[in-house]
Amino acid sequence: MRKAPKKHPVRNVFALFTLAIVCVCGVELAVARFEDPALYDSIVAPARESWQEAHAQISDYIEQQRAERERRRLEELARQEELSRRREAQRQRELAATELAIQMASKPVIQEELIVADPAITEFVFDGDVELLTGGAFDLVYYNQSDEVWANEPFGADPIDRYGCGPTALAMVVASLADPDATPASVAAWAARAGYCAPRSGSYLSIVQGTAKNYGLECVSLGATDIVTLQRYLSGGGIVVALMGPGHFTGRGHFILLHGVTPDGGILVADPNSRENSLAVWDAQLILDELSQSRHDGAPLWLITTTPAI
């Protein structure tokens, strides 16, 4: 059963008394305002001053808050501008790196008469219909991007003979280590579908790691390696994909393969755009000196093996 609320006669009387006082004071102030303005001013002046002081403090507080918000807005604007500046600077660096890495069949900056290696060191031979480049730990399947069989086949919207050094070099790797049916045309078609074609620029550098993964091969970036380390991996049977900058191999950017090392430390190269370069023995320091300056997606050196090598 619900209990009836308790009555508080004392509280009620006090409330009525307070209300009566307020009403009386209000009436008296209204009368005083007209009958005795001086008395009225003396009574309300302290309250008016307090209100004006409070109003001034509130206005100051509001102004301070507005100034603080404006300060924070300007700081955030400056932060966003600085972030945009840094992003733009990074974009320009990446564009510069990309420009250096553009792969397009072009004459090398440095042209010298090459000395063809002794056939006992490296030469082209045929095994049925497959052309091999001897030397190194095993004979490497060799493809040239200008071969009429696929020269005009597409790499995206571009022809392989002009922009396909990446797919051609990687087709050599894949055909030698994983899938003997791989050709520049088949690798270029897959790479374009996978998004590795950079229109009028050759290949995005991520094509190396992406292709290795797709064909079940191990790929490790060697970074800025030294001669001894490079020779060690090559003598152990690894193939190194190298992105070259302007020099003896290209005027822009160009993918080649390093596939062997001679007893005296020379490097054997498989150049998808030059049979002559592929029959010469190259100085290891020259190779390292002419590597591309690009340093993203593992560039400029990638070691590819069938099993983990590092």
Side-chain angles (χ1 to χ4, degrees):
M1 183 176 179
R2 186 177 181 181
K3 294 182 179 180
K6 292 182 179 180
K7 296 182 179 180
H8 301 280
V10 175
R11 184 184 301 171
N12 293 339
V13 170
F14 179 77
L16 290 172
F17 180 74
T18 302
L19 179 60
I21 291 175
V22 172
C23 292
V24 170
C25 290
V27 171
E28 290 181 347
L29 280 173
V31 172
R33 182 177 183 182
F34 294 101
E35 298 295 333
D36 192 347
L39 176 61
Y40 173 81
D41 288 340
S42 66
I43 294 173
V44 301
R48 184 183 294 116
E49 291 174 357
S50 296
W51 161 249
Q52 291 174 345
E53 182 178 351
H55 183 270
Q57 291 176 349
I58 292 172
S59 298
D60 290 342
Y61 175 78
I62 293 174
E63 179 60 25
Q64 291 172 2
Q65 292 298 306
R66 188 201 65 77
E68 179 65 15
R69 288 194 299 271
E70 179 66 11
R71 183 185 65 81
R72 291 179 180 177
R73 187 187 70 81
L74 293 176
E75 287 182 350
E76 177 63 18
L77 181 62
R79 190 184 72 83
Q80 291 295 334
E81 289 178 348
E82 176 63 16
L83 184 60
S84 296
R85 187 191 65 77
R86 291 181 180 180
R87 286 174 176 170
E88 177 61 20
Q90 177 64 23
R91 189 181 74 85
Q92 292 298 330
R93 287 193 293 270
E94 290 176 353
L95 285 175
T98 301
E99 179 67 20
L100 288 172
I102 287 176
Q103 309 109 45
M104 182 179 68
S106 60
K107 291 183 179 180
V109 173
I110 302 173
Q111 300 185 50
E112 295 179 350
E113 183 176 353
L114 299 178
I115 300 176
V116 177
D118 188 312
I121 296 176
T122 185
E123 65 175 338
F124 288 111
V125 298
F126 277 92
D127 181 7
D129 294 332
V130 180
E131 188 171 26
L132 302 175
L133 185 59
T134 65
F138 55 87
D139 294 342
L140 182 78
V141 174
Y142 178 79
Y143 293 131
N144 191 289
Q145 65 195 81
S146 297
D147 190 313
E148 63 181 8
V149 177
W150 43 69
N152 293 317
E153 290 294 310
F155 178 35
D158 303 322
I160 288 177
D161 67 336
R162 288 279 287 165
Y163 297 97
C165 63
T168 304
L170 290 167
M172 295 190 223
V173 176
V174 173
S176 300
L177 299 180
D179 179 3
D181 294 328
T183 66
S186 67
V187 173
W190 169 83
R193 291 194 302 271
Y196 294 119
C197 176
R200 297 295 176 182
S201 299
S203 307
Y204 292 114
L205 303 190
S206 52
I207 190 176
V208 180
Q209 295 167 326
T211 302
K213 181 178 180 180
N214 182 69
Y215 287 94
L217 297 171
E218 297 290 331
C219 180
V220 178
S221 170
L222 295 183
T225 191
D226 56 81
I227 293 177
V228 173
T229 302
L230 178 62
Q231 292 171 336
R232 175 164 58 87
Y233 285 128
L234 292 175
S235 62
I239 300 176
V240 174
V241 180
L243 178 64
M244 307 305 295
H248 287 77
F249 296 92
T250 180
R252 304 292 293 276
H254 185 49
F255 282 107
I256 65 172
L257 300 181
L258 315 180
H259 69 101
V261 57
T262 65
D264 60 355
I267 302 296
L268 300 180
V269 163
D271 186 336
N273 195 43
S274 173
R275 298 175 65 87
E276 291 76 15
N277 288 347
S278 302
L279 288 176
V281 177
W282 294 86
D283 179 72
Q285 189 60 57
L286 181 148
I287 296 290
L288 295 181
D289 289 344
E290 294 188 4
L291 289 171
S292 168
Q293 296 301 308
S294 296
R295 293 296 182 271
H296 59 89
D297 293 299
L301 291 173
W302 300 262
L303 172 67
I304 300 183
T305 57
T306 54
T307 58
I310 297 181

